Amino acid sequence: MNRYMSRHLENRFAAHQDLDDTVGARDGGFRTVVDLALDKYLEEQPGSKAIRSMDAEFKRFAVSQMKVFILAGHDTTSATLYYIFYSLSRNPLALQRVRAEHDEVFGSDLTQTNATITANPHSLNQLPFTLAVIKETLRLFSAASSTREGELGFSLTQDGHQYPTEGFTV
Ligand code: HEM
């Protein structure tokens, strides 16, 4: 895995070298978190345009972070999607409401959904019922979680309400 990641990093580094500028659109505007890391790395190097290779410490750190992103992001997301479909299959009324909400926001022609979201990514924020389904699924079938211990004098604030945390483990 380290070898594979290093190769990917080297390829992206080479692609950055081919461009005059470290920022701006490339590959049709599709830029990954690796590109963002390389932008920052090059920005921080004195005389970055003359740099032909990455230093070993940066490479080691970047590869390690890439692994975290893949491992932390992949199974959590896919397992959550399975549980969402499972939950909806057991709650036909909720499924109906999700579909109605999607039809309302994206239209009923599925072939146009990608284009609609690309043209207006903020439309994804207009799906309160879908969001509730995702949150309820995460509550019932959390793919990953961590323990937080409450603390005397420490409160959580939401919608103007304060919720004390002492006595709680969440
Ligand atoms: C349903 C999806 C996901 C769930 C349930 C989830 C859950 C969690 C949880 C519980 C933590 C520990 C938080 C803490 O205790 O401090 C965490 C950390 C983290 N997650 Fe996720 N995660 C999800 C998706 C993702 C995705 C898609 C990515 C990246 C592409 C990601 C990257 C990370 C990283 C980098 C950390 C460590 C953050 C740190 O440095 O403290 N996660 N995640």
Side-chain angles (χ1 to χ4, degrees):
M1 192 164 190
N2 282 350
R3 253 203 319 273
Y4 179 84
M5 297 282 179
S6 295
R7 233 179 5 248
H8 180 75
L9 185 64
E10 295 283 3
N11 287 343
R12 295 314 302 162
F13 183 75
H16 278 240
Q17 299 271 293
D18 290 342
L19 296 153
D20 282 0
D21 203 344
T22 54
V23 286
R26 63 173 65 90
D27 296 344
F30 179 74
R31 301 173 72 240
T32 68
V33 69
V34 177
D35 293 312
L36 298 179
L38 284 169
D39 281 356
K40 198 73 198 152
Y41 173 69
L42 287 169
E43 205 181 290
E44 286 172 1
Q45 304 307 306
S48 64
K49 299 224 164 77
I51 289 182
R52 304 314 300 174
S53 66
M54 293 167 276
D55 68 79
E57 193 192 340
F58 171 75
K59 265 175 77 171
R60 210 172 28 252
F61 189 71
V63 166
S64 160
Q65 293 301 311
M66 284 159 73
K67 283 194 291 193
V68 170
F69 268 86
I70 288 183
L71 298 175
H74 190 272
D75 198 47
T76 44
T77 317
S78 54
T80 302
L81 282 170
Y82 295 144
Y83 278 119
I84 288 173
F85 297 140
Y86 168 74
S87 303
L88 287 175
S89 77
R90 296 178 57 92
N91 293 279
L93 285 179
L95 177 61
Q96 229 171 47
R97 280 186 69 180
V98 166
R99 285 183 167 150
E101 187 173 72
H102 290 196
D103 284 352
E104 194 187 318
V105 175
F106 305 128
S108 51
D109 181 358
L110 283 182
T111 63
Q112 290 307 306
T113 309
N114 270 351
T116 309
I117 295 173
T118 306
N120 179 18
H122 294 290
S123 59
L124 291 170
N125 294 332
Q126 294 160 17
L127 305 165
F129 189 76
T130 306
L131 182 63
V133 167
I134 295 169
K135 287 186 173 180
E136 183 63 357
T137 305
L138 282 168
R139 186 182 72 82
L140 291 170
F141 307 104
S142 183
S145 58
S146 60
T147 307
R148 291 281 185 277
E149 202 172 333
E151 200 179 306
L152 188 66
F154 183 81
S155 307
L156 299 172
T157 307
Q158 191 182 4
D159 301 331
H161 295 285
Q162 284 218 324
Y163 301 95
T165 63
E166 63 260 27
F168 286 100
T169 300
V170 288

